[in-house]
Amino acid sequence: MTSLNATEPCKYPVALQAADSVLPASVFAPDRGCADHPHSGTVVEDGVDTNDESADHLDLSSKFILVSPTAEQYDSLLKHLRERLDEGCGETIYVIGMGSDGNDYGLDDNDMEASIATVQSLCEQIEADLIWLRERTDTSGKIQDYLIRRHVDQQDFLEVRVAVVGNVDAGKSTLLGVLTHGELDNGRGFARQKLFRHKHEMESGRTSSVGNDILGFDQKGQVVNKPDSHGGGLDWTKICEKSSKVITFIDLAGHEKYLKTTVFGMTGHLPDFCMLMVGSNAGIVGMTKEHLGLALALNVPVFVVVTKIDMCPANILQETLKLLQRLLKSPGCRKIPVLVRNKDDVIITASNFSSERMCPIFQISNVTGENMDLLKMFLNLLSSRTHFNNDEPAEFQIDDTYSVPGVGTVVSGTTLRGIIRLNDALLLGPDPLGTFMPIAIKSIHRKRMPVREVRGGQTASFALKKIKRSSIRKGMVMVSPKLMPQATWEFEAEILVLHHPTTISPRYQAMVHCGSIRQTATILTMNKDCLRTGDKAIVHFRFIKTPEYLHCDQKLVFREGRTKAVGTITKLLQSMNILAAKGQQAKMQASKTCKESTATNEDAGSMARPTISNTTHLPLKCQRRKRGGHRHRGKGLNAPPVSTAVPAGMAGTA
């Protein structure tokens, strides 16, 4: 098993080369290659920095740069630190005493104190906290690592989403119960009881729905979750108010019959990272490989947690770790497994985790609490992987709906881009006709805490005005009217078949998961006669039931039984024309009005008849006559002579 040495300077040379001339020596930038460095190449070649100073004059590669920087160097350090915080979504790991100019690493005590004072001054300038992580000794002195985290408002917090997957009985819900409630398990399912949502889950001990749990960290990296002393529940509002960072765990089902729910959780909830759970006594069995393959297909970085090490014999544990290492190194995964044993390993793996190649492996026990502090420290150091543009028009995908007494219809989901504020007017859709209806936002909650706005990448729930829950389904979106959205029936995608027992040919139907969309689609055509396991092709799909709102370059998972394929949408073919859809809706409204006027004429005629003696029950009789008449007329039996204008809808069914 690969284990990283904390003092290895050249483990990731690419990042250091990219930062040779311009990036400050103290900023640790492991995930930044030469290609996407905004200043790489151009600044060095031109010899001009953004402050119109020469690159030689503002050389920031020395480890002594922080000891007594000049005004220009200080400004440049400040600018680069701001860039790092923007890249890391508000946080970054800062290393003091390590230069990139080829000299020995380490500073003596006086230089280290002066460097720390400079970094504290930089943090005060940009309103951030400096949190000490570790200290180590090298050839020339000490090296210290710090976490810098930007201040957030009391009503705001950084959010990282972690999907929890693994085979049934791997200990997923139990681990989340221990992490979020701060109480160890008794070995018989005590910790997981607080997380289940349904009665049958408590009875069987198996998760069948997508659960959400939160773990809050304050500015100093300490856990703020404190369960209620009476009911043992968590007050999410208090946790969010005290937290500067919240980890949202998406608890998914491990059993094979709930795979549809698990795939929806992985695609619809947009996790930043995936925590794969493996029971040390059972090993890699059942759905473990399925879930790992799903995370790899969606390009979600994976870290592994091996549970139940307190009850597992040493030889079985070693066998499980050996199999796990072989699986992660296999050609399908191509990961670098790293066994996490101490805090140094935690810091190195967390710093380099976003590269997607590294895969940390934690060994924990929910009963004794062994290594639980390492896992919490790792979660605290994780930063959000995705960047969202708040300047674009708003878009929000719906992954669940509720009807709350006294509030009305509530939808929850993820903001994909833009900013949504209280009382904003958005378009909700598409409905079965492919149209979008205007709606207003009545209130907004994040993690049960009322807020005034949400930004791209944040999960939230909205209370909507004047709309029924029955008219909303999972997979619908709320978008800004500026986007002029169109629903799509047909699309083309480039897909790769991961597994299929026989062959796939046109007219094959399977479930398509794309974001929060979950609907059966038919293959109309493809650029090959048939597809088998491992084949890649351009495929033309058509939805079966309703049109959906799609984008190009969206990832999709194509699933039916044991058949699995992944792909990317390349072209939207048949978009619903809004005007045509509105015309169709107007025609339906006219048809409905015509029906009502016909029924009114019938009622008037029946009231004019002298044979009716009891006028008090007149509306009920008329209603029965009208309903019966409509039923018989629809079947084409005994249709009474009515007005000559036949509604358009009726003409089609007669």
Side-chain angles (χ1 to χ4, degrees):
M1 189 74 64
T2 309
S3 183
L4 286 182
N5 186 0
T7 57
E8 276 188 22
C10 299
K11 194 73 181 174
Y12 289 88
V14 176
L16 294 178
Q17 288 165 11
D20 271 347
S21 58
V22 179
L23 208 67
S26 52
V27 175
F28 191 63
D31 55 340
R32 206 170 186 181
C34 297
D36 44 17
H37 191 303
H39 301 295
S40 64
T42 54
V43 173
V44 178
E45 287 168 14
D46 299 341
V48 178
D49 196 74
T50 50
N51 293 333
D52 295 326
E53 299 283 348
S54 67
D56 293 330
H57 182 60
L58 283 181
D59 180 21
L60 304 176
S61 60
S62 170
K63 63 183 180 182
F64 298 107
I65 188 70
L66 289 165
V67 178
S68 57
T70 63
E72 291 88 354
Q73 289 172 332
Y74 186 88
D75 291 342
S76 189
L77 286 168
L78 192 63
K79 173 174 163 287
H80 286 302
L81 181 55
R82 277 205 178 95
E83 286 176 6
R84 286 299 300 160
L85 287 175
D86 290 340
E87 273 188 18
C89 297
E91 54 186 28
T92 187
I93 292 177
Y94 210 85
V95 183
I96 301 176
M98 187 182 286
S100 56
D101 54 358
N103 292 328
D104 292 339
Y105 295 156
L107 293 171
D108 59 30
D109 291 343
N110 294 332
D111 288 344
M112 180 60 74
E113 281 182 25
S115 299
I116 293 170
T118 304
V119 176
Q120 281 177 334
S121 170
L122 292 170
C123 291
E124 286 169 9
Q125 290 282 328
I126 56 176
E127 295 184 342
D129 282 316
L130 189 66
I131 305 161
W132 181 85
L133 293 177
R134 65 168 175 166
E135 180 179 282
R136 58 194 193 278
T137 306
D138 210 292
T139 51
S140 297
K142 295 176 181 175
I143 301 172
Q144 293 196 11
D145 293 39
Y146 286 87
L147 173 68
I148 297 179
R149 180 174 291 164
R150 191 176 277 154
H151 290 162
V152 291
D153 298 332
Q154 191 173 7
Q155 297 293 313
D156 197 13
F157 48 84
L158 304 172
E159 185 182 359
V160 176
R161 288 185 291 277
V162 178
V164 184
V165 296
N167 192 48
V168 65
D169 298 333
K172 297 183 292 298
S173 299
T174 301
L175 174 62
L176 296 192
V178 172
L179 281 173
T180 57
H181 287 76
E183 294 181 47
L184 294 174
D185 190 42
N186 62 355
R188 291 184 294 279
F190 166 74
R192 70 185 180 197
Q193 292 297 322
K194 297 166 184 170
L195 270 61
F196 288 143
R197 300 171 66 187
H198 304 291
K199 187 170 179 254
H200 68 266
E201 291 180 337
M202 292 185 183
E203 291 167 354
S204 66
R206 288 177 179 168
T207 305
S208 65
S209 59
V210 179
N212 276 289
D213 305 284
I214 63 170
L215 179 64
F217 293 98
D218 62 14
Q219 295 283 3
K220 301 298 180 187
Q222 302 298 316
V223 175
V224 299
N225 288 40
K226 294 287 185 290
D228 183 11
S229 56
H230 300 293
L234 293 173
D235 188 341
W236 284 30
T237 307
K238 285 184 181 174
I239 292 173
C240 293
E241 283 175 354
K242 293 177 185 173
S243 301
S244 65
K245 182 175 194 173
V246 171
I247 307 288
T248 303
F249 293 108
I250 305 161
D251 189 13
L252 301 176
H255 201 278
E256 187 173 2
K257 69 178 178 180
Y258 303 126
L259 180 62
K260 182 174 81 168
T261 306
T262 303
V263 175
F264 174 74
M266 286 290 289
T267 58
H269 287 73
L270 301 176
D272 293 302
F273 303 101
C274 181
M275 181 161 73
L276 179 68
M277 309 281 292
V278 178
S280 58
N281 53 347
I284 301 164
V285 292
M287 300 300 290
T288 307
K289 290 182 182 177
E290 296 273 353
H291 292 166
L292 177 60
L294 181 62
L296 293 171
L298 295 170
N299 291 331
V300 181
V302 180
F303 63 97
V304 182
V305 175
V306 179
T307 58
K308 307 182 185 180
I309 61 170
D310 57 293
M311 61 175 283
C312 181
N315 61 325
I316 303 293
L317 176 61
Q318 290 304 315
E319 189 70 27
T320 301
L321 292 174
K322 201 178 290 181
L323 281 172
L324 189 58
Q325 181 188 18
R326 193 182 306 160
L327 174 66
L328 292 171
K329 285 182 175 178
S330 65
C333 292
R334 289 183 299 172
K335 298 276 186 187
I336 306 168
V338 180
L339 204 57
V340 177
R341 303 178 188 276
N342 51 44
K343 291 187 176 182
D344 288 350
D345 291 342
V346 170
I347 293 165
I348 292 172
T349 51
S351 304
N352 299 289
F353 188 44
S354 293
S355 65
E356 295 182 17
R357 283 297 306 279
M358 187 172 285
C359 181
I361 300 172
F362 295 86
Q363 303 170 67
I364 63 146
S365 166
N366 292 318
V367 175
T368 63
E370 187 179 347
N371 292 336
M372 200 67 74
D373 56 335
L374 297 180
L375 182 58
K376 287 179 182 175
M377 183 180 179
F378 179 76
L379 291 168
N380 179 43
L381 294 177
L382 287 180
S383 58
S384 182
R385 203 168 49 95
T386 46
H387 296 272
F388 297 90
N389 193 349
N390 293 327
D391 301 330
E392 295 179 1
E395 183 180 338
F396 178 87
Q397 71 173 21
I398 296 171
D399 55 43
D400 219 340
T401 61
Y402 309 92
S403 186
V404 180
V407 177
T409 305
V410 174
V411 297
S412 70
T414 311
T415 314
L416 299 180
R417 58 183 61 83
I419 301 175
I420 301 176
R421 296 184 175 87
L422 214 57
N423 298 318
D424 272 5
L426 300 174
L427 295 176
L428 172 71
D431 61 9
L433 289 174
T435 56
F436 290 76
M437 66 186 87
I439 48 109
I441 306 295
K442 193 161 61 174
S443 68
I444 307 175
H445 280 68
R446 277 186 73 199
K447 308 293 177 210
R448 305 176 191 171
M449 183 172 73
V451 294
R452 298 196 63 80
E453 64 176 32
V454 287
R455 298 171 178 273
Q458 297 178 348
T459 53
S461 51
F462 299 114
L464 306 180
K465 292 180 183 175
K466 298 176 184 174
I467 190 161
K468 291 182 179 176
R469 184 190 174 191
S470 57
S471 62
I472 305 175
R473 59 184 171 80
K474 293 178 184 178
M476 290 175 87
V477 294
M478 296 195 307
V479 295
S480 168
K482 294 177 187 174
L483 286 172
M484 294 192 295
Q486 289 193 339
T488 306
W489 276 106
E490 298 177 17
F491 62 94
E492 266 187 12
E494 184 179 2
I495 67 165
L496 169 67
V497 181
L498 300 176
H499 175 74
H500 185 60
T502 56
T503 60
I504 295 175
S505 54
R507 295 209 298 272
Y508 179 80
Q509 293 185 351
M511 183 75 76
V512 169
H513 294 262
C514 182
S516 60
I517 294 166
R518 183 171 63 179
Q519 192 184 154
T520 306
T522 307
I523 292 178
L524 298 181
T525 57
M526 50 190 182
N527 62 355
K528 291 186 178 179
D529 293 334
C530 60
L531 295 177
R532 294 184 176 86
T533 301
D535 286 355
K536 196 180 253 189
I538 303 288
V539 180
H540 182 178
F541 289 99
R542 179 181 172 84
F543 286 120
I544 292 285
K545 196 175 178 186
T546 56
E548 301 285 4
Y549 182 68
L550 297 171
H551 294 287
C552 286
D553 299 325
Q554 263 186 304
K555 290 195 177 297
L556 63 88
V557 177
F558 186 61
R559 187 191 65 80
E560 191 262 331
R562 291 195 170 274
T563 300
K564 272 166 284 298
V566 295
T568 308
I569 295 174
T570 55
K571 194 193 296 182
L572 306 180
L573 294 171
Q574 187 189 347
S575 293
M576 290 284 296
N577 190 342
I578 294 179
L579 295 175
K582 282 186 177 175
Q584 194 174 354
Q585 203 169 20
K587 192 189 272 188
M588 288 184 68
Q589 288 286 346
S591 166
K592 192 175 178 183
T593 310
C594 196
K595 284 181 191 176
E596 287 173 358
S597 64
T598 306
T600 309
N601 291 341
E602 283 182 6
D603 289 350
S606 61
M607 286 175 73
R609 289 175 194 158
T611 53
I612 297 174
S613 56
N614 188 2
T615 56
T616 55
H617 298 290
L618 180 63
L620 183 61
K621 289 188 177 182
C622 288
Q623 196 176 354
R624 283 177 186 161
R625 179 188 291 275
K626 182 181 75 171
R627 195 163 61 232
H630 274 242
R631 185 171 67 246
H632 290 308
R633 197 182 311 147
K635 293 179 180 176
L637 301 172
N638 304 326
V642 290
S643 70
T644 54
V646 181
M650 298 296 208
T653 56

